[in-house]
Amino acid sequence: MSAHTETSAAGAAAGQNRPATGTTLVKRGLAEMLKGGVIMDVVTPEQARIAEDAGAVSVMALERVPADIRAHGGVSRMSDPEMIQGVQAAVSIPVMAKARIGHFGEAQILQALGVDYVDESEVLTPADEVHHIDKWAFTVPFVCGATNLGEALRRIGEGACMIRSKGEAGTGNIVEAVRHLRSITGDIRRIAAAGDEAELFEWAKQLRAPLPLVQEIADTGVLPVPLFCAGGIATPADASLVMQLGAEAVFVGSGIFKSSDPPKMASAIVEAVTHFRDPDILAKISAGLGKAMAGLETAALTTKMAERGW
Amino acid sequence: MKPRIGVLALQGGFAAHGAILDKLGARTDEVRTPRQLAEVDALVMPGGESTTMSMLLERSELLEPLSERLNAGMAVLGTCAGMILLAREVVDGRADQHSLGMVDITVRRNAYGTQIESFEADIDVDGLESPFHAVFIRAPVVERAGPGVEVLARHEERPVLCRSGRVTVAAFHPELSGDERLHARFLADL
C-alpha cells in the first residue's frame, strides 16, 4: 500500500500511544483485509446470516437488490437504519451500506450507525448530478464504483479508499464489469510504461484525473487503493474470470439471492475467489449449483446504472 | 538453501505480507492447498476475516495438515485473524469457528468495535530500539495470556504481540505500516 501525505501527517500527529482513527492507512487497511473475499448484498438479517455461514467477508445491507430496483423502479435511497441495525446485530463480519451519489446527509447517518464501509453507489438514484461526497471529511471509509481509470482516480482524489468496477448491476451479465476492469488495468499498464513526465501530464488531462495520482501510478504500477469487482457476477466462473483480470475481491449483488440455491451458490463463489487460478477445483465447486440468476442482455436495458457518476 | 516461507492465501492481507518478505529477500510461496503447505518451511497467517478463513481451511482440507505441521514445530507468524485462528480460546467468534490452539491466550474478536474505532498508534516492542508503528483494524483484544506466553508488546496495558515457542502472534498489522522489523526478526529466528 502506498504512502499518502495525509497518512503520515495523521501518524505524526498521533504521537506515542495516542491512537489516530479514520486515517488513510486505517481506511485502506480494512480494504486490504477484505481482499480475496466476497462481499454479498443482503436485504434481511436472515440473508446476512446465510451470507456469513457461507463465508462472506462482509455484507452490504440494502433495501432491495439491484435486480429488484430495476424491476420496480422509483427513487432508490439509503436503507432504513432499523434494517441496517438488524443486519449488524445478526452477523460478526463487517457491514457495509449504500448512500446515493453526492448524498453526504445519508453518509453521515450511515457513519453514525457505525457501518464499516459506505458505498457511494450508482445503484441508488443519484442525489447530486455534479458533485460526489467529500469522503475525506468522514471517519468511515468509502468505496466507489468506476467504469474507467479517470473515474477511479477522481473518486480516490475525493477520498475513496476502495474502488470497484461498476459493471451493470442487477443484470447477472458480466460483460460490463469485464469492460471496466480491462479499461482500468490496461490504462494502469500504459501509464506505468510512459516515457516521460510530459506524457503523464497528458494522461492526467485525458483522464480528467489528479496529476499526483497519475504520477503515483507511473511509480508503483498499481492503483493507489484496492481494486474490487462488482456488477453482474452470477457464477463461480464469473468470479474466477474477474479475479484473473486483476480484481482483488468481488461484490455479488443479485447473483446469490436470485439463484435457485443461495447458500450453495454463496459458498461456491467464496471458494472460487480463493482458488480462482485452479480450474480443477473450480470444476468441482461449479457442479450441481442449481440455476444461476436469470440475467439480462445489457443492450436491452432502459436504465444504465453505470452511466451514473461524474 | 534459503527457507521457503509460505503465506496462507485463502483470504485477507496476504499480498502485503508477501511484498515485505520479498523485499527482505525471502523465498515466498502462496499457500492455498495441502500440497503447497507441504512444500514450505514456515508460514505467515495474515489478517482478514477469521470466520471466512476458518471455513476455507476446512473446505480446502488444510485444517488437519496445518495442525500437524504446527504441532511438529513449524515457525508461524499470525497477524490479526491469524492470531485469532492460532489462539487457544476465542470469545465472540462463531460457534463453528476453528481454533488451532497453539498460543495459550484468550482473544475477543472485534473488541474495539466497528471500523470507525480502528486506529494506528506507536507501541514499544521488546528488543526493538524505537517504537513500532502499529495499525489496528477491527482488531482482536487479548483478554488473557497464559504463563507460558511471552508478551512482547502492549497497547494500553493489553498484550498485542505474543510469542509461544515458534509461534508469534500480533493483534495489529505489521505488514501495513512499512516497518519491516518484525518480519526481519521472524526470518532471522528461523
Side-chain angles (χ1 to χ4, degrees):
Chain A
M1 195 175 356
S2 57
H4 185 282
T5 46
E6 197 252 0
T7 304
S8 39
Q16 174 89 15
N17 287 336
R18 210 140 26 90
T21 57
T23 62
T24 301
L25 192 56
V26 162
K27 289 173 169 178
R28 292 184 185 176
L30 179 56
E32 285 290 319
M33 295 313 133
L34 298 172
K35 282 184 178 178
V38 183
I39 301 136
M40 302 182 191
D41 278 4
V42 298
V43 301
T44 61
E46 290 67 38
Q47 288 190 352
R49 271 186 222 108
I50 292 171
E52 188 183 59
D53 287 347
V57 289
S58 174
V59 289
M60 176 77 69
L62 74 176
E63 210 82 21
R64 294 178 289 174
V65 294
D68 289 333
I69 293 174
R70 269 185 199 290
H72 300 136
V75 172
S76 207
R77 312 179 177 90
M78 173 188 82
S79 297
D80 182 341
E82 194 175 298
M83 179 270 172
I84 295 170
Q85 285 168 322
V87 169
Q88 287 173 316
V91 296
S92 64
I93 55 179
V95 175
M96 304 189 185
K98 289 181 192 288
R100 283 180 268 178
I101 288 173
H103 205 317
F104 53 84
E106 285 185 348
Q108 287 162 353
I109 291 169
L110 293 175
Q111 174 165 285
L113 290 170
V115 303
D116 294 285
Y117 243 93
V118 173
D119 185 1
E120 187 184 15
S121 179
E122 72 283 359
V123 168
L124 306 185
T125 310
D128 189 323
E129 293 189 326
V130 178
H131 308 93
H132 281 253
I133 297 171
D134 169 11
K135 294 165 273 285
W136 297 111
F138 287 78
T139 305
V140 67
F142 281 73
V143 50
C144 288
T147 59
N148 58 50
L149 185 59
E151 211 177 345
L153 295 182
R154 288 196 293 280
R155 298 297 84 81
I156 295 169
E158 295 155 3
C161 290
M162 180 201 299
I163 293 295
R164 54 170 177 77
S165 66
K166 286 183 180 169
E168 196 49 53
T171 62
N173 189 337
I174 199 66
V175 66
E176 294 301 313
V178 167
R179 187 202 316 279
H180 302 158
L181 276 178
R182 280 198 184 273
S183 172
I184 292 169
T185 57
D187 277 351
I188 289 173
R189 270 194 302 278
R190 287 183 277 275
I191 288 173
D196 60 10
E197 279 293 302
E199 288 186 16
L200 300 184
F201 302 153
E202 175 60 15
W203 269 109
K205 202 160 47 180
Q206 291 292 335
L207 293 174
R208 294 191 293 129
L211 177 62
L213 294 177
V214 173
Q215 290 167 322
E216 188 179 332
I217 288 176
D219 286 343
T220 62
V222 292
L223 198 68
V225 305
L227 174 63
F228 290 7
C229 179
I233 294 166
T235 65
D238 288 345
S240 159
L241 172 69
V242 298
M243 291 294 287
Q244 292 187 63
L245 287 173
E248 297 173 294
V250 304
F251 287 79
V252 185
S254 321
I256 289 171
F257 291 100
K258 291 287 172 189
S259 71
S260 66
D261 190 344
K264 220 167 169 179
M265 183 62 81
S267 312
I269 294 178
V270 167
E271 282 186 71
V273 170
T274 295
H275 300 288
F276 68 96
R277 276 200 211 91
D278 194 326
D280 292 332
I281 295 180
L282 291 164
K284 214 164 84 186
I285 59 186
S286 299
L289 296 177
K291 274 203 174 69
M293 71 176 284
L296 295 167
E297 190 65 62
T298 46
L301 298 177
T302 47
T303 304
K304 295 230 169 117
M305 291 173 177
E307 288 170 2
R308 297 166 169 173
W310 5 96
Chain B
M1 218 26 191
K2 266 196 228 171
R4 289 175 72 165
I5 316 297
V7 182
L8 189 67
L10 296 173
Q11 190 276 315
F14 52 87
H17 278 289
I20 289 198
L21 292 166
D22 285 344
K23 217 168 137 199
L24 290 168
R27 291 175 71 201
T28 60
D29 291 291
E30 290 184 354
V31 171
R32 293 184 177 85
T33 63
R35 216 174 87 191
Q36 290 164 341
L37 178 64
E39 287 168 359
V40 300
D41 301 301
L43 191 68
V44 173
M45 294 176 61
E49 193 42 58
S50 65
T51 56
T52 302
M53 273 190 245
S54 169
M55 282 177 217
L56 285 166
L57 276 173
E58 190 179 317
R59 291 189 219 150
S60 307
E61 292 168 0
L62 274 165
L63 209 53
E64 233 171 85
L66 176 58
S67 190
E68 276 168 28
R69 290 295 304 276
L70 290 167
N71 285 308
M74 177 173 63
V76 181
L77 172 64
T79 59
C80 198
M83 173 191 244
I84 294 170
L85 290 168
L86 287 160
R88 177 137 315 154
E89 197 186 347
V90 179
V91 186
D92 275 0
R94 283 174 57 92
D96 59 356
Q97 188 163 353
H98 297 286
S99 291
L100 293 160
M102 295 305 297
V103 185
D104 184 18
I105 52 175
T106 301
V107 295
R108 183 179 291 276
R109 278 179 72 218
N110 307 331
Y112 293 95
T114 71
Q115 169 63 9
I116 288 165
E117 313 297 332
S118 293
F119 62 96
E120 41 184 303
D122 285 337
I123 56 171
D124 289 316
V125 176
D126 276 8
L128 294 185
E129 283 178 7
S130 57
F132 190 94
H133 193 64
V135 186
F136 294 80
I137 311 282
R138 287 176 46 103
V141 158
V142 176
E143 295 196 329
R144 179 196 65 88
V149 176
E150 268 178 282
V151 176
L152 301 173
R154 291 175 187 272
H155 177 256
E156 288 173 353
E157 312 302 318
R158 292 154 164 164
V160 293
L161 182 66
C162 301
R163 185 165 59 193
S164 176
R166 304 194 75 200
V167 181
T168 305
V169 287
F172 56 95
H173 293 279
E175 76 282 10
L176 289 186
S177 52
D179 192 331
E180 294 156 11
R181 289 178 293 173
L182 290 182
H183 288 82
R185 184 196 271 188
F186 176 67
L187 294 176
D189 288 346
L190 290 178

